[in-house]
Amino acid sequence: MGNTENFSNINPSEDEVSDVCPICGGVGWVRKELPISDPNFGKMQVCICKQSDVVRHTFDRLFQLSNLQAFQNMTFKNFKTEGRMGLGDTQVSSLQIALNQSTHFSENPNGWLFLMGTYGCGKTHLAAAIANEVLSKGTPVLFLTVPDLLDWLRYSYGSQETNFEERFEEIRNMRLLVLDDLGTQNATPWAEEKLYQILNHRYINRLPTVITSNQDFIEIEGRIRSRLQDPDLVTIVKILAPDFRSPIREERQSISTLALLSDCTFGTFTLRDHEKLDPEHKRSLSVAFGGASEFAENPRGWIVFFGSYGCGKTHLAAAIGNYRAAAGDEPIFVVVPDFLDHLRATFNPNSSVSYDHLFEQVRNAQLLILDDLGTQSATPWAREKLYQIFNHRYNAKLPTVITTSNELGDMDPRIRSRMLDSRLCSLYAILAPAYIRSKEGTPRHKKSK
């Protein structure tokens, strides 16, 4: 009773009273008067005064879960339908049709859109562009590769953070679900059944869905194939263009893309003396350049370049690779998200490359250059594969170059512990902002004597 009397003596000001929600009294939750037969009887529900916060939290969580930050630059505006070397009229036309259909779908997400085509033709770009566009208009979107989707479901089985049934229902009923790389998942009976349950539910309820695949129809699981062939629901778009990122991919056994960065050398790297940079920023560029040059002369241990997008870290990493290639070495340069995509693609029964061969090729590379660590989808599977590579190269003391836009504290703790070993690893933080190329061209850096 004493506590009751104390509280009754509190007299809030008029301003404080006016700020309190008249519906929930500032609690944020309400219990509606419902009949006992109603499934929501007795349940607390979010008050209208907090719904905007809940919506914002939901969008932030979906954005992180989808890893759309890594795809935020994939838009309809920068999707190229022309200018790709060696394309015929039919291939260009297929790209234009795919762009038009994807744009139309993003404006009015109804039915299903199924994008087919070979690896690297632009399917993921269009799927991510749809997700980014629809999400920007306030519609909840979940964007996941199929292997990542299944990883998240497996992870939720033993997780204390989330409930499997809740996550499964959220995916099945998501306002717009974008599934990238159908067919690259590990086709276990469990995986096939869960994927079918999700797609069948969305098929029955006509929920908007975007799917990409590099498989032919005949290779897709029969039950899912029958859903995708429903002309009343599904719009099928086949992109005939080849892999635009690496036109000679099939002629190479290595997955290295260093040849695409042949112009990134120490001679073409600029210390940006013509810019009015902060002295500390300019110094960080000079120190990183010196560290890269020394490493290229004698590649021992690890070297890591931190910095924002466009600061020059990829240029320095590629310069090391090109220098060693000219000396007769065979460095492997891979962008981390692309490498994980390559690994997933080997799960396809028709893949010409085995998983073990590809994994060992990277893990034991004479010189491995990993670009953009941290932009990959951070699923348990992805984290484990990367840790296995890092741990092997750490124990074997194999020369490794890493670039990342993440801060050290954001790294997987197991990988971070390896990077913090000063006996093996040298860290360089490039503080300079993104470099903007002038119309006159990039001034060449001349190494001082």
Side-chain angles (χ1 to χ4, degrees):
M1 294 295 293
N3 286 340
T4 302
E5 291 175 357
N6 288 339
F7 277 110
S8 65
N9 290 332
I10 297 175
N11 296 314
S13 65
E14 293 183 3
D15 290 340
E16 290 174 326
V17 171
S18 64
D19 290 339
V20 176
C21 174
I23 300 175
C24 66
V27 177
W29 296 86
V30 294
R31 182 183 286 114
K32 293 184 178 180
E33 295 294 334
L34 298 170
I36 296 179
S37 59
D38 192 291
N40 291 318
F41 174 79
K43 293 183 179 179
M44 300 297 290
Q45 299 184 30
V46 179
C47 180
I48 191 172
C49 70
K50 297 293 183 181
Q51 285 183 355
S52 61
D53 293 338
V54 173
V55 170
R56 184 169 59 253
H57 173 74
T58 300
F59 273 58
D60 290 343
R61 188 176 64 84
L62 289 175
F63 190 80
Q64 294 176 1
L65 181 63
S66 298
N67 194 39
L68 276 173
Q69 184 176 0
F71 301 96
Q72 61 185 351
N73 293 326
M74 293 185 177
T75 66
F76 294 126
K77 289 184 179 179
N78 60 22
F79 182 79
K80 294 182 179 180
T81 59
E82 298 180 355
R84 300 187 186 182
M85 296 180 60
L87 293 188
D89 292 341
T90 303
Q91 293 171 323
V92 172
S93 176
S94 73
L95 287 168
Q96 187 62 57
I97 292 172
L99 175 59
N100 292 342
Q101 291 286 356
S102 299
T103 303
H104 176 73
F105 186 92
S106 71
E107 295 170 350
N108 184 26
N110 283 316
W112 289 18
L113 179 64
F114 184 37
L115 300 171
M116 303 175 67
T118 187
Y119 184 85
C121 68
K123 307 184 304 295
T124 297
H125 188 134
L126 290 175
I130 292 172
N132 287 321
E133 182 68 19
V134 173
L135 190 65
S136 70
K137 295 176 180 177
T139 300
V141 178
L142 185 60
F143 175 98
L144 288 171
T145 66
V146 173
D148 287 348
L149 163 68
L150 296 171
D151 276 344
W152 282 117
L153 289 178
R154 292 187 186 99
Y155 173 75
S156 65
Y157 264 128
S159 174
Q160 297 179 353
E161 301 174 3
T162 187
N163 179 277
F164 173 82
E165 286 75 17
E166 292 178 356
R167 173 159 286 178
F168 190 68
E169 284 303 306
E170 180 183 33
I171 293 171
R172 287 208 308 175
N173 293 294
M174 182 59 54
R175 190 80 61 82
L176 172 60
L177 179 63
V178 182
L179 294 179
D180 191 33
D181 274 350
L182 174 67
T184 60
Q185 72 277 3
N186 190 358
T188 64
W190 180 90
E192 288 185 353
E193 188 61 30
K194 292 304 158 193
L195 187 57
Y196 171 71
Q197 289 174 2
I198 291 171
L199 292 176
N200 189 55
H201 175 82
R202 298 186 68 83
Y203 174 82
I204 293 172
N205 292 280
R206 296 300 198 253
L207 297 175
T209 307
V210 177
I211 302 172
T212 79
S213 178
N214 59 13
Q215 288 187 314
D216 291 329
F217 260 119
I218 194 63
E219 299 171 329
I220 298 173
E221 196 269 339
R223 296 175 298 174
I224 295 176
R225 181 172 68 242
S226 68
R227 303 296 184 257
L228 292 172
Q229 290 178 309
D230 184 347
D232 294 330
L233 178 70
V234 185
T235 299
I236 301 173
V237 178
K238 189 162 187 178
I239 302 176
L240 303 177
D243 186 346
F244 75 95
R245 293 171 299 185
S246 179
I248 59 174
R249 183 187 303 276
E250 295 181 357
E251 300 174 10
R252 290 200 312 258
Q253 292 184 348
S254 173
I255 64 168
S256 177
T257 56
L258 184 61
L260 302 178
L261 298 170
S262 59
D263 60 338
C264 292
T265 66
F266 290 114
T268 59
F269 187 82
T270 173
L271 293 180
R272 299 164 67 174
D273 293 327
H274 62 293
E275 296 182 48
K276 296 181 179 179
L277 293 179
D278 181 281
E280 188 65 21
H281 293 179
K282 189 173 293 188
R283 180 179 177 277
S284 70
L285 271 175
S286 179
V287 171
F289 179 87
S293 301
E294 291 179 9
F295 186 91
E297 291 283 353
N298 184 22
R300 302 181 58 146
W302 294 10
I303 186 169
V304 184
F305 299 105
F306 297 85
S308 60
Y309 293 105
C311 68
K313 57 186 186 299
T314 296
H315 188 131
L316 287 177
I320 293 173
N322 287 320
Y323 187 94
R324 295 313 308 172
D329 292 345
E330 295 182 357
I332 289 181
F333 182 105
V334 290
V335 181
V336 173
D338 288 349
F339 166 62
L340 292 172
D341 280 346
H342 281 289
L343 278 184
R344 294 186 184 102
T346 63
F347 295 148
N348 187 332
N350 297 317
S351 173
S352 60
V353 181
S354 71
Y355 172 90
D356 291 337
H357 171 76
L358 186 60
F359 191 77
E360 289 302 313
Q361 182 185 30
V362 170
R363 194 167 73 150
N364 290 300
Q366 183 179 11
L367 169 62
L368 178 61
I369 304 170
L370 293 172
D371 192 33
D372 271 357
L373 175 66
T375 61
Q376 72 282 352
S377 180
T379 66
W381 179 86
R383 290 198 301 267
E384 190 60 29
K385 293 302 122 184
L386 289 175
Y387 171 69
Q388 289 173 5
I389 290 172
F390 277 101
N391 192 53
H392 173 79
R393 298 188 68 82
Y394 174 83
N395 291 328
K397 296 181 173 56
L398 296 174
T400 308
V401 180
I402 304 161
T403 79
T404 179
S405 58
N406 282 8
E407 295 182 0
L408 195 58
D410 296 330
M411 294 285 179
D412 182 315
R414 299 174 298 176
I415 295 177
R416 181 172 66 241
S417 68
R418 304 297 187 258
M419 291 182 176
L420 289 174
D421 186 347
S422 58
R423 298 169 303 175
L424 176 77
C425 188
S426 299
L427 308 178
Y428 293 91
I430 301 178
L431 306 177
Y435 178 68
I436 301 176
R437 189 180 297 272
S438 64
K439 293 182 179 179
E440 292 76 21
T442 304
R444 294 174 64 87
H445 169 74
K446 296 182 179 179
K447 194 173 180 179
S448 57
K449 297 181 180 180

